[in-house]
Amino acid sequence: MLATRERVRTESDTTVLVWHKSDGHCDGQCDFHPIACSDTDGIVLPGPTQDVPLNLDKPGESWCPDCLALIRADHATEGRER
């Protein structure tokens, strides 16, 4: 799934990566990525989008829960349309 990362500082002052489903196109030269979980928010000064597995198991990285729910809902709908 194409996603863009958000660096989030935790209460213990560490940084984790939260992946958001990309809701736009990126050529790697943009300074804002719209994200699927918000009509108004996005990632400012992002890196390029990356292909991120849905079953993400890297320490310090996770999917945005809202984006993951949207992805799963899309996949469920696609399965019914086949």
Side-chain angles (χ1 to χ4, degrees):
M1 176 63 53
L2 282 180
T4 188
R5 66 180 173 246
E6 174 184 20
R7 292 188 184 280
V8 177
R9 187 168 303 275
T10 66
E11 291 179 11
S12 61
D13 206 32
T14 59
T15 301
V16 296
L17 292 180
V18 177
W19 292 95
H20 293 272
K21 179 182 179 208
S22 181
D23 194 26
H25 302 286
C26 176
D27 61 5
Q29 302 300 316
C30 56
D31 55 5
F32 180 83
H33 280 180
I35 52 179
C37 62
S38 175
D39 291 333
T40 57
D41 293 332
I43 307 301
V44 178
L45 299 174
T49 55
Q50 295 181 31
D51 191 17
V52 179
L54 294 181
N55 296 327
L56 187 61
D57 61 357
K58 290 184 179 180
E61 296 186 27
S62 65
W63 273 99
C64 160
D66 293 336
C67 285
L68 191 55
L70 289 169
I71 293 165
R72 289 185 173 145
D74 287 346
H75 283 246
T77 301
E78 289 171 3
R80 285 191 300 249
E81 291 175 357
R82 289 183 185 163

